[in-house]
Amino acid sequence: MRRTAHHDKKLEKLQKTLSISISISEKGLLTRVIGKELIHKQIQFIKALQKVTNYSSILSSVSIFGSGLSIILGIIFLQWFGHPSLGWIPARNLTVVLSLCGIVKAIMKGPRPYWLDDHVHPLDPTLEASFGFPSGHASISITLYGLVAFYHYSIFTVVISVLLCITILISRLQTGAHFVHDVVGGTLIGLFFLFITTGSFGFEWHENRGSPLEIVFLIIISVFTLSTVIYTNLNHLNRINYKDVRESVAGAGLVFGVAISHILIHFIDLPNFISFPLYGLILEFLGIVIIQYLLKVVPVDINDSHSVTGILLLALIHTFLQLFAIFLFPFCTFNSL
C-alpha cells in the first residue's frame, strides 16, 4: 500500500476531529436499523477485500471517477462535447442526486468502516469524512456514466460505462470508505434518477430551460437540503461540523445554481448546445479551480466547524461555481466567438 505524505497528513488531521462524528453515528438511525452485528460482519468482509487486493492503490484510485470533481468535469464536458439534447440535464441530475444523498446522510448518520475498526485501512484518495449512507460516489457514477451510455449509445460506451461503474462500487468498499449497504443505497438512487431521465418509467424528465415548475422544484430541493442539514447537525454552540455535511452543502448550492440559470435564461439568450474547441474546456476548468479556493477562506474554528452563516456562504460559493460552469462562462465564450 502506497500513500503520499499529503494523504497521511490529511488523515492525521482528520482523525483528530472524527471522535464526535463516530459517537453520533454509533447512536444514529442507520446503526439502529442495520444493527451492529451486520455492520461487524461487513467490516470483516472489507478487511478481507483489502487483504485480497493487497491494499491496491490502483483500485482505490478509481474512486476519483465518482468524486465531486467528476461532477464538475462531467457537467462541463457533456455540455461542451456531449449530445445536443443533453444540455443542463447532467447539471440538474448530478446535483439533485448529490443533494438527496446529503439529506439522507444528515438524517441517517451512518458510520464509515474505517471509523469503527483501526484494522480497516483508509485508502480513499479523497478521504471523505461525511456520514456514510448512502454512497455519493455510487449514485454519482451511476447517474453520470449512465447518461453517457444512454445519450452516446454504442456497445463500446455501454460496456465501458458499466465496467467503470462496477469498478467504482468495488473501490468504495476496498477503500474502507463505505459499507455494502451504503453502496447499494447510492446505486438505487442513481438508477432511479437515470431511469426517470431516460423515460424507463413511462415518464421522461427532459430538459425544459426556463420552466417555472423546474425552477420552483430546484429551489425547494436546495432550501430543504440546507434546512435539513442545519436542523439535524446544529450543536449546542450553534455550530455545524462542516466535514459531516460537506456533500449536502455542496449539493444544495449547486442545485440553486441550476435554478438561477433557468431564471437567467428568460433575460439572457444562450443556445441549448454550443460546440467549442478543447481549449474552452481547459479554461473553464481552471476558472472552477480558482472559484473552489474561495471555499478555504470561509471562517472556521479549530474543530473544523462553521456557523450557520458560514454554511450558507459555502453553499453560495457552490452556487456561483455552478453558474460559472453552465451559464456565465458558456455565455461569455459564445459572445466572444
Side-chain angles (χ1 to χ4, degrees):
M1 175 184 61
R2 292 183 179 178
R3 294 205 306 239
T4 64
H6 174 71
H7 183 280
D8 289 337
K9 185 177 180 180
K10 187 177 178 182
L11 177 60
E12 182 181 356
K13 180 181 177 181
L14 176 63
Q15 288 174 333
K16 292 179 180 178
T17 61
L18 271 180
S19 57
I20 297 176
S21 301
I22 294 172
S23 177
I24 293 172
S25 67
E26 287 178 340
K27 302 174 185 176
L29 180 58
L30 185 80
T31 301
R32 298 200 301 269
V33 172
I34 297 295
K36 291 185 178 182
E37 183 178 349
L38 183 56
I39 288 177
H40 176 72
K41 289 180 179 179
Q42 292 187 64
I43 287 177
Q44 300 309 310
F45 167 74
I46 291 167
K47 288 194 288 187
L49 179 62
Q50 289 188 335
K51 189 173 182 180
V52 167
T53 59
N54 197 27
Y55 309 100
S56 170
S57 59
I58 296 176
L59 180 58
S60 60
S61 297
V62 177
S63 287
I64 294 175
F65 292 99
S67 66
L69 179 63
S70 69
I71 293 181
I72 301 299
L73 285 177
I75 287 172
I76 61 178
F77 184 83
L78 290 175
Q79 177 168 297
W80 287 64
F81 302 106
H83 193 279
S85 62
L86 267 171
W88 289 346
I89 290 177
R92 180 197 65 199
N93 284 25
L94 287 169
T95 54
V96 169
V97 162
L98 187 63
S99 290
L100 181 58
C101 286
I103 291 172
V104 179
K105 284 176 185 282
I107 295 173
M108 300 299 287
K109 293 181 169 56
R112 291 180 182 267
Y114 77 90
W115 291 6
L116 305 181
D117 194 312
D118 292 336
H119 294 96
V120 175
H121 295 266
L123 305 178
D124 185 6
T126 57
L127 278 180
E128 294 289 342
S130 60
F131 293 116
F133 178 85
S135 168
H137 282 69
S139 57
I140 288 168
S141 59
I142 296 293
T143 304
L144 175 59
Y145 302 115
L147 287 174
V148 172
F150 181 81
Y151 282 93
H152 295 271
Y153 179 78
S154 70
I155 298 299
F156 176 77
T157 56
V158 170
V159 170
I160 293 299
S161 296
V162 170
L163 289 177
L164 185 55
C165 286
I166 292 174
T167 307
I168 291 172
L169 300 184
I170 295 173
S171 173
R172 297 315 288 161
L173 299 174
Q174 186 261 355
T175 58
H178 284 292
F179 292 101
V180 175
H181 55 259
D182 299 337
V183 172
V184 171
T187 299
L188 292 177
I189 290 175
L191 287 173
F192 174 77
F193 277 89
L194 180 62
F195 287 160
I196 64 172
T197 303
T198 57
S200 301
F201 292 151
F203 165 77
E204 185 175 353
W205 192 17
H206 55 77
E207 181 186 47
N208 189 5
R209 292 195 181 186
S211 164
L213 183 62
E214 187 146 323
I215 292 171
V216 171
F217 170 76
L218 293 173
I219 291 176
I220 289 174
I221 289 291
S222 179
V223 172
F224 182 70
T225 302
L226 279 177
S227 301
T228 303
V229 165
I230 294 171
Y231 178 76
T232 58
N233 289 274
L234 196 65
N235 62 27
H236 64 286
L237 298 175
N238 290 325
R239 307 283 291 185
I240 296 175
N241 195 345
Y242 179 55
K243 67 178 179 55
D244 288 343
V245 299
R246 188 180 61 82
E247 292 180 30
S248 314
V249 175
L254 293 171
V255 168
F256 196 61
V258 180
I260 293 178
S261 298
H262 277 290
I263 295 172
L264 290 177
I265 206 71
H266 286 283
F267 307 99
I268 303 173
D269 184 43
L270 183 69
N272 279 6
F273 179 76
I274 310 169
S275 181
F276 288 138
L278 181 61
Y279 71 82
L281 176 67
I282 297 173
L283 288 176
E284 185 169 7
F285 179 67
L286 290 176
I288 287 170
V289 170
I290 293 172
I291 295 171
Q292 284 190 311
Y293 270 102
L294 294 174
L295 298 171
K296 298 183 179 181
V297 303
V298 179
V300 58
D301 66 17
I302 193 170
N303 293 317
D304 195 30
S305 68
H306 290 272
S307 64
V308 173
T309 303
I311 291 295
L312 295 177
L313 181 56
L314 287 164
L316 286 176
I317 293 173
H318 282 95
T319 296
F320 181 70
L321 190 153
Q322 183 75 287
L323 270 173
F324 176 84
I326 71 172
F327 194 95
L328 296 179
F329 188 86
F331 172 77
C332 293
T333 308
F334 172 71
N335 283 279
S336 66
L337 291 178

